[in-house]
Amino acid sequence: MTVSPLPFPAADGPRREGLTVFVRGLAVEAGIGVHDHELGRLQTLVIDVTLELAPAPVERLADTINYETVAEAALAIIAEGHVGLVETFAERLAAACLSDGRVRRCTVRIEKPGALGAAAAAGCEVVLAR
């Protein structure tokens, strides 16, 4: 009989309930906005992405989502050209992340620093799920 080093009896073992992969504070420069003064110039966006994956063992990079693919998806949206609304950008990014079948739910939060002079940032949060 093995003695547990824990001060309580060991259960049958842990059960995987899920895996969350996230990218926080990804700062990018994008053509974004609907006002005349926003056209033809880049503005900073700060992006947070949270991906909820199905519970599965992760032993190698191929078993999970590579953080770099999240950043690449954001840059691909920027490369497509000017986007009017932060909400549109967030929805496109969430949809791109959900294109990986392992992702069950995606939350994209985008802050647009400087959008309101008296606020640290304004923005939105979009949640898409299967």
Side-chain angles (χ1 to χ4, degrees):
M1 173 178 189
T2 306
V3 176
S4 171
L6 302 174
F8 45 85
D12 292 335
R15 184 180 89 240
R16 271 188 196 88
E17 292 191 358
L19 172 64
T20 301
V21 173
F22 61 88
V23 174
R24 297 274 183 265
L26 175 66
V28 298
E29 297 295 316
I32 194 153
V34 295
H35 300 292
D36 288 341
H37 70 275
E38 296 178 298
L39 302 176
R41 70 182 188 97
L42 299 178
Q43 297 184 72
T44 300
L45 298 178
V46 180
I47 302 171
D48 296 338
V49 176
T50 302
L51 306 174
E52 295 178 26
L53 284 65
V58 177
E59 298 295 330
R60 50 198 175 97
L61 186 56
D63 297 333
T64 189
I65 304 296
N66 186 336
Y67 314 125
E68 293 172 2
T69 61
V70 174
E72 289 167 0
L75 294 175
I77 294 166
I78 292 167
E80 291 173 355
H82 190 91
V83 177
L85 299 172
V86 173
E87 292 84 351
T88 302
F89 192 107
E91 180 117 4
R92 288 181 188 170
L93 182 54
C97 291
L98 273 177
S99 70
D100 187 310
R102 297 170 294 181
V103 178
R104 301 165 120 187
R105 179 180 170 146
C106 178
T107 302
V108 175
R109 177 185 175 95
I110 300 182
E111 294 183 5
K112 189 176 172 186
L116 294 174
C124 72
E125 184 171 285
V126 170
V127 179
L128 297 182
R130 303 194 175 281

